[in-house]
């Protein structure tokens, strides 16, 4: 449709039709077959048949035949035969599930992340989906908040790079391209900074911190062309985002220039009442529409409480028209007027979904996401990096003794298909390869597998995890589980302990006050460590955890995140050395929960603690260090690298030109490896305080043993700009430090002056 045709259509629509376009309901209201995914509290919705007949969009299902039937029947009923939009949370893969977004952040590989999103878009579009509620662009610095699992970490630059990559992967250059879907950048805005780490609470941020750091991911997603933005549940400057005109009209539409569709989060329009910001549904509908919310997701505020206020003139119909026009434009961008069934095709879907290529991509993403935190005595890789053939014969006799090794594979994740996160809504555990299956497939010596304990102990608090396997297990059975594991540990040369969070312990509505692996698993780990000190621990988790005891008792520690459908293969590939670990932490792993929120790019304070000291009257704790257990950007490989101090081609820079910083990276180990070299900059003095370091670039470099290469980073004025005290963006003259390092906690700086 042309713009003019859309305008004609809008002009011809009745008031009821327009309002119907602005309502989104759970797919169940129209479904006859298929699976409905519920992603929020079910509330009583007073929806009339007439409102159903004109419904603009639904969320929460996928099935090409069912969605084609719904589209056909709805268009027949709709007075202007306007096609519907079908939306779903395709968060980290559709049927082929790749690592949870925090794991994707750990890859430091935007191209890979883009490819994954593109694959997800094709699987989703073949199953009838038009819009995904992804990427979550919220900056995440508080690991108590369960939704850090869905973000790409604590750094604005990395967050921005990954958000843009996901938008590009989902949408391509034009949403009408085959198998592309519309991306929805969420949750606007500041949702990642909930008070006390508790979901849905207020974001208490200074305006400067909010605009400078917390907007970075959304800004990048909008610049990448995202067709939709979703409001957040939290308040911003004490006004709920979903009714916040300043946030939505001045910042989102004005400053960020967003012209697409703004959808509320699930029930968030009606929740303006619970916030105490709206007195009733009339008031909630009026405030949300005035703020610029185009679609009311799963509430009856728009459907039941707009028409009268428009007719009475209390709300201007022009507000309605602009909202409906944006919705029609999005449907037009997706080509729905000409092709209402788009790419929904069951046969084609069956051919493409979970294909070998898709699994290979998911496996590579999982491999690159895994972070090696510790590797004492080079206990890993198990076979010295020798590719182990199926028959168990290795290709290099020097490692033969390893092949005879007995491995004990212990823990609730040892042979579990639960490697998908709580947001892998379309993924199925039946398609997941377990760690045990993968290790057996590659002939990894003699494998003694024993679960050892349940995921969560009977008396442990996890409100999300109602039904527990411990409910069905007697004390005797629990003892036998443990004894079997300890027997295996005693008999084995090495123990691979696979532990971690229950998948419902992270994600939405999964805030935690103690960031530990479940106590029952911690207890098993202690007992295993007593009988075998060659302990290699794999941690499956949606978030940073307090791993002090895990690290103390293990010779090696791997973070696998929620690795997805190919997670078992990826973990086995890293354990056996078929591929080397290269992941880097996208969030700090705290020394303890009490340090949260914690991030490397903090402000200095007027009394920064001298490194390694614990002095009174300096900023620090009396019972813990300031530093996290593992910092942002940290991750080991199976080799080792040296990096020289950075050198600059000039130490004075003018506003117009650029300087180049570089350092020489050398693989000083015995095998090839990939290092992520990171560029950090510090502005030593400015009109507002600036972080002690800020990531401004990174390069992944693969080197053979003994190889060196110079890694260079151009630095231009745009990398020095920030939100100045006068409210304008720009750089300020003065001294800057440049770090080129392998994590946010290493490296000695070079200095330059901006004139
Ligand atoms: C949920 C989430 C949001 C999701 C939406 C639709 O409450 O906050 O991230 O996209 O509802 O499922």
């Amino acid at each position: 449709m042309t713009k003019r045709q859309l305008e004609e259509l809008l002009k011809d629509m009745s008031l009821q039709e327009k309002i119907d376009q602005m309502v989104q309901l759970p797919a169940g209201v129209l479904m006859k077959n298929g699976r409905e995914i519920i992603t929020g509290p079910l509330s009583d919705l007073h929806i009339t048949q007439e409102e159903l007949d004109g419904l603009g969009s639904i969320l929460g299902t996928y099935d090409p035949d069912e969605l084609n039937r719904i589209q056909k029947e709805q268009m027949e009923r709709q007075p202007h035969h306007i096609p519907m939009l079908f939306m779903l949370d395709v968060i980290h893969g559709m049927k082929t599930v790749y690592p949870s977004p925090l794991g994707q952040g750990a890859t430091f590989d935007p191209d890979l992340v883009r490819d994954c999103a593109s694959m997800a878009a094709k699987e989703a579009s073949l199953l009838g989906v038009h819009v995904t509620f992804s990427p979550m662009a919220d900056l995440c610095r508080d690991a108590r908040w369960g939704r850090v699992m869905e973000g790409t970490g604590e750094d604005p630059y990395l967050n921005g790079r990954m958000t843009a990559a996901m938008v590009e992967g989902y949408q391509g250059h034009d949403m009408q391209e085959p198998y592309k879907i519309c991306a929805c950048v969420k949750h606007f805005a500041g949702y990642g900074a909930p008070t006390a780490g508790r979901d849905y609470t207020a974001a208490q941020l200074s305006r400067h911190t909010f605009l400078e750091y917390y907007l970075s991911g959304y800004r990048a997603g909008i610049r990448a062309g995202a067709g939709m933005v979703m409001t957040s549940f939290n308040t911003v400057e004490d006004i709920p985002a979903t009714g916040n005109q300043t946030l939505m009209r001045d910042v989102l539409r004005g400053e960020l220039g967003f012209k697409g569709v703004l959808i509320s989060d699930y029930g968030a329009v009606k929740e303006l009442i619970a916030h105490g910001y709206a007195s009733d549904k009339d008031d909630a509908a009026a405030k949300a529409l005035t703020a610029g919310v185009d679609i009311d997701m799963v509430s009856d505020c728009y459907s039941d409480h707009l028409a009268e206020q428009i007719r009475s003139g209390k709300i201007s119909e022009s507000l309605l028209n602009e909202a409906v026009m944006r919705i029609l434009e999005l449907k037009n961008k997706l080509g729905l007027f000409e092709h209402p069934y788009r790419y929904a095709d069951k046969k084609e879907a069956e051919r493409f979904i979970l294909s070998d290529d898709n699994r290979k991509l998911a496996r590579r993403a999982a491999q690159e996401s895994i972070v090696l935190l510790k590797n004492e005595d080079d206990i890993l890789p198990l076979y010295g990096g020798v590719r182990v053939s199926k028959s168990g014969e290795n290709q290099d006799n020097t490692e033969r003794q390893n092949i005879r090794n007995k491995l004990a594979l212990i823990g609730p994740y040892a042979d579990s298909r639960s490697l998908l996160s709580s947001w892998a809504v379309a993924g199925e555990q039946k398609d997941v390869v377990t760690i045990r299956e993968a290790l057996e497939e590659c002939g990894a010596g003699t494998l003694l597998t024993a679960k050892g304990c349940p995921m969560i102990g009977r008396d442990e608090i996890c409100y999300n995890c109602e039904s527990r396997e411990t409910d069905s297990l007697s004390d005797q059975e629990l003892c036998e589980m443990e004894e079997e594991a300890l027997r295996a540990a005693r008999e084995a040369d090495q123990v691979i302990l696979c532990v971690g969070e229950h998948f419902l312990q992270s994600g939405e509505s999964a805030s935690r006050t103690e960031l530990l692996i479940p106590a029952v698993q911690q207890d098993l780990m202690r007992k295993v460590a007593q009988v075998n000190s060659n302990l290699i621990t794999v941690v499956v988790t949606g978030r940073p955890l307090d791993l002090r005891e895990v690290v103390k008792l293990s010779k090696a520690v791997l973070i696998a995140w929620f690795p997805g459908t190919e997670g078992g293969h990826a973990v086995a590939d890293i354990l056996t050395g078929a591929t080397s670990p290269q992941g880097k932490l996208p969030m700090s792993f705290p020394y303890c929960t009490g340090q949260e929120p914690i991030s490397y790019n903090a402000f200095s304070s007027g009394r920064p603690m001298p490194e390694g000291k614990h002095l009174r009257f300096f900023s620090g704790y009396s019972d813990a260090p300031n530093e996290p257990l593992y910092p942002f950007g940290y991750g080991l490989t199976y080799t080792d690298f040296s990096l020289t101090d950075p050198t600059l081609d000039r130490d004075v820079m003018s506003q117009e030109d650029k300087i180049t910083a570089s350092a020489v990276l050398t693989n000083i180990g015995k095998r090839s490896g990939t290092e992520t070299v990171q560029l950090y900059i510090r502005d030593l003095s400015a009109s507002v305080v600036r972080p002690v370091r800020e990531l401004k670039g990174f390069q992944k470099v693969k080197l053979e043993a003994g190889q060196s290469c110079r890694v260079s980073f151009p630095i231009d004025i745009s990398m020095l700009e920030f939100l100045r005290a006068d409210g304008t963006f720009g750089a300020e003259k003065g001294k800057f430090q440049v770090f080129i390092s392998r994590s946010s906690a290493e490296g000695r700086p070079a200095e330059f002056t901006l004139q």
Side-chain angles (χ1 to χ4, degrees):
M1 298 258 267
T2 64
K3 175 86 175 160
R4 181 156 178 65
Q5 287 172 314
L6 291 177
E7 285 163 353
E8 289 302 316
L9 170 60
L10 180 65
K11 217 183 289 172
D12 205 35
M13 288 167 72
S14 68
L15 177 59
Q16 188 55 51
E17 276 189 274
K18 291 179 192 174
I19 292 172
D20 290 347
Q21 286 297 306
M22 300 164 70
V23 177
Q24 178 172 92
L25 294 176
V29 299
L30 295 176
M31 282 169 67
K32 289 183 181 134
N33 307 300
R35 177 174 164 243
E36 183 181 16
I37 293 122
I38 303 295
T39 53
L42 281 174
S43 51
D44 50 334
L45 297 166
H46 315 296
I47 302 292
T48 64
Q49 188 54 46
E50 188 193 12
E51 285 159 351
L52 272 187
D53 290 349
L55 193 55
S57 65
I58 53 175
L59 82 155
T61 194
Y62 60 89
D63 176 289
D65 294 344
E66 179 67 355
L67 288 172
N68 283 343
R69 177 193 65 77
I70 291 173
Q71 189 71 297
K72 182 175 182 300
E73 291 176 9
Q74 286 296 109
M75 287 176 71
E76 284 164 358
R77 292 191 194 107
Q78 213 285 337
H80 284 87
H81 315 299
I82 299 171
M84 294 188 78
L85 277 172
F86 300 138
M87 306 192 197
L88 183 71
D89 292 281
V90 185
I91 305 301
H92 55 107
M94 184 73 187
K95 302 302 279 187
T96 307
V97 179
Y98 41 86
S100 47
L102 197 56
Q104 292 176 57
T107 66
F108 276 70
D109 190 341
D111 293 340
L112 174 61
V113 166
R114 185 181 305 107
D115 292 347
C116 287
S118 181
M119 180 254 282
K122 183 165 182 180
E123 288 196 346
S125 59
L126 287 167
L127 290 170
V129 175
H130 304 152
V131 181
T132 176
F133 296 128
S134 169
M136 190 187 99
D138 305 313
L139 192 68
C140 300
R141 294 178 162 172
D142 190 334
R144 294 172 298 178
W145 188 51
R147 301 199 76 167
V148 302
M149 181 274 285
E150 304 168 58
T152 51
E154 69 190 48
D155 179 75
Y157 176 79
L158 179 65
N159 206 22
R161 291 286 303 274
M162 292 301 176
T163 300
M166 290 180 193
V167 170
E168 291 155 6
Y170 291 131
Q171 297 190 169
H173 300 294
D174 177 340
M175 282 183 230
Q176 291 202 34
E177 283 170 15
Y179 311 120
K180 292 303 173 189
I181 57 177
C182 175
C184 175
V185 167
K186 66 186 187 182
H187 307 77
F188 199 79
Y191 184 33
T195 305
R198 197 171 75 244
D199 214 344
Y200 316 126
T201 58
Q204 300 293 14
L205 298 164
S206 74
R207 168 165 282 251
H208 182 273
T209 289
F210 174 74
L211 295 173
E212 171 75 55
Y213 306 108
Y214 280 79
L215 280 190
S216 58
Y218 314 112
R219 181 182 286 118
I222 289 162
R223 278 190 184 145
M228 186 176 282
V229 165
M230 183 188 292
T231 71
S232 59
F233 288 120
N234 56 288
T235 56
V236 175
E237 295 186 331
D238 305 343
I239 297 176
T242 305
N244 194 320
Q245 278 190 70
T246 305
L247 179 65
M248 298 305 175
R249 296 232 180 243
D250 302 347
V251 179
L252 177 63
R253 302 276 185 202
E255 191 181 322
L256 301 187
F258 178 61
K259 296 185 172 29
V261 171
L262 178 62
I263 189 169
S264 79
D265 201 340
Y266 194 108
V269 173
K270 188 166 75 171
E271 288 174 12
L272 295 178
I273 301 167
H275 272 289
Y277 183 65
S279 50
D280 56 23
K281 287 182 182 178
D282 271 358
D283 194 21
K287 282 176 171 154
L289 182 61
T290 307
V293 176
D294 301 323
I295 297 178
D296 173 9
M297 182 197 290
V298 189
S299 105
D300 47 18
C301 293
Y302 278 16
S303 56
D304 290 6
H305 298 272
L306 273 185
E308 201 36 55
Q309 296 189 75
I310 300 278
R311 287 194 191 98
S312 67
K314 193 176 169 203
I315 303 176
S316 157
E317 188 154 5
S318 64
L319 282 179
L320 203 76
N321 291 339
E322 72 176 43
V324 175
M325 178 51 85
R326 286 191 284 259
I327 296 166
L328 296 177
E329 282 170 345
L330 176 57
K331 293 185 176 186
N332 201 38
K333 274 185 196 157
L334 285 162
L336 282 167
F337 286 101
E338 292 78 18
H339 306 289
Y341 308 107
R342 290 190 93 236
Y343 305 103
D345 179 330
K346 195 154 197 118
K347 283 206 175 14
E348 181 55 28
E350 278 156 9
R351 271 195 294 277
F352 181 75
I353 279 165
L354 286 161
S355 66
D356 290 349
D357 285 349
N358 292 4
R359 280 185 175 269
K360 211 178 290 175
L361 179 59
R363 182 168 181 167
R364 182 159 73 86
Q367 288 167 350
E368 286 200 27
S369 71
I370 291 172
V371 182
L372 177 64
L373 295 182
K374 179 181 180 183
N375 191 19
E376 199 176 289
D377 305 341
D378 282 344
I379 191 170
L380 286 178
L382 290 172
Y383 306 109
V386 172
R387 194 173 292 280
V388 176
S389 66
K390 276 206 187 302
S391 63
E393 283 307 304
N394 71 336
Q395 288 128 4
D396 171 350
N397 292 335
T398 56
E399 305 292 340
R400 183 168 294 285
Q401 90 289 343
N402 267 327
I403 300 299
R404 282 199 302 277
N405 270 2
K406 273 189 185 162
L407 289 174
L409 183 63
I410 295 172
Y413 275 110
D415 194 18
S416 165
R417 298 191 192 287
S418 181
L419 300 178
L420 311 177
S421 84
S422 55
W423 271 114
V425 298
E428 296 185 73
Q429 290 200 12
K430 69 176 179 57
D431 301 318
V432 173
V433 176
T434 73
I435 296 170
R436 178 192 62 76
E437 288 167 338
L439 283 172
E440 282 182 356
E441 200 180 287
C442 71
T446 310
L447 210 52
L448 309 170
T449 304
K451 190 170 181 179
C453 73
M455 190 71 78
I456 302 256
R458 187 177 290 144
D459 53 359
E460 289 183 75
I461 298 177
C462 173
Y463 298 122
N464 294 351
C465 321
E466 289 118 22
S467 60
R468 295 184 193 185
E469 56 197 309
T470 43
D471 300 344
S472 59
L473 294 172
S474 67
D475 289 349
Q476 177 61 26
E477 285 166 324
L478 289 169
C479 279
E480 283 163 7
M481 264 175 99
E482 181 179 284
E483 201 28 59
E484 183 195 9
L486 295 179
R487 263 198 313 276
R490 284 189 200 96
E491 200 180 320
D493 301 289
Q494 288 127 341
V495 176
I496 302 168
L497 181 70
C498 303
V499 294
E501 283 192 310
H502 185 286
F503 80 97
L504 289 175
Q505 283 187 290
S506 64
E508 183 170 0
S509 186
S511 298
R512 296 181 66 193
T513 57
E514 279 299 341
L515 299 174
L516 296 169
I517 62 173
V520 69
Q521 298 181 38
Q522 201 105 349
D523 183 48
L524 175 69
M525 176 179 67
R526 291 185 198 106
K527 290 173 181 168
V528 166
Q530 277 174 345
V531 300
N532 191 322
S533 62
N534 284 332
L535 182 58
I536 297 155
T537 303
V538 178
V539 182
V540 175
T541 180
R543 60 168 22 112
L545 297 171
D546 167 359
L547 294 178
R548 277 176 291 168
E549 191 168 12
V550 170
V551 170
K552 189 166 136 248
L553 296 177
S554 310
K555 282 194 174 171
V557 179
L558 285 166
I559 304 297
W561 314 106
F562 280 101
T565 312
E566 284 293 311
H569 277 143
V571 169
D573 294 338
I574 298 285
L575 288 171
T576 60
T579 184
S580 292
Q582 53 182 286
K584 294 284 187 177
L585 293 181
M587 274 186 86
S588 310
F589 270 53
Y591 176 85
C592 60
T593 307
Q595 287 186 330
E596 295 293 344
I598 181 170
S599 65
Y600 83 93
N601 34 16
F603 298 145
S604 159
S605 87
R607 295 187 176 184
M609 182 67 77
E611 196 161 334
K613 302 282 188 196
H614 299 282
L615 305 176
R616 203 159 166 238
F617 303 120
F618 286 83
S619 178
Y621 301 100
S622 60
D623 61 353
N626 285 358
E627 295 73 26
L629 196 63
Y630 292 101
F632 173 88
Y634 177 88
L636 301 176
T637 65
Y638 284 155
T639 185
D640 200 0
F641 290 93
S642 69
L643 195 56
T644 61
D645 290 346
T647 55
L648 307 176
D649 61 352
R650 266 176 296 141
D651 58 8
V652 176
M653 175 179 162
S654 71
Q655 306 269 338
E656 293 70 41
D657 60 14
K658 63 176 77 169
I659 61 175
T660 298
S662 66
V664 176
L665 179 75
T666 302
N667 181 338
I668 56 176
K670 296 196 289 283
R671 70 182 88 242
S672 70
T674 299
E675 181 57 81
T676 301
V677 179
Q678 300 149 49
L679 169 73
Y680 295 92
I681 292 178
R682 178 178 187 175
D683 188 345
L684 287 169
S685 166
S687 58
V688 292
V689 294
R690 311 283 291 116
V692 293
R693 279 195 201 204
E694 289 183 283
L695 183 71
K696 293 292 182 183
F698 52 83
Q699 293 180 36
K700 294 188 81 162
V701 182
K702 181 169 183 177
L703 293 178
E704 296 305 318
Q707 247 187 337
S708 289
C709 82
R710 178 168 290 279
V711 185
S712 297
F713 295 95
I715 297 173
D716 64 31
I717 195 79
S718 68
M719 294 157 77
L720 311 181
E721 292 176 341
F722 63 99
L723 183 64
R724 295 176 290 202
D726 64 5
T728 62
F729 263 99
E732 292 176 357
K733 292 175 182 167
K735 282 192 185 311
F736 292 81
Q737 287 180 329
V738 177
F739 300 79
I740 296 179
S741 54
R742 299 166 55 200
S743 85
S744 61
E746 294 172 23
R748 286 189 294 243
E751 273 198 14
F752 71 90
T753 302
L754 175 65
Q755 280 184 338

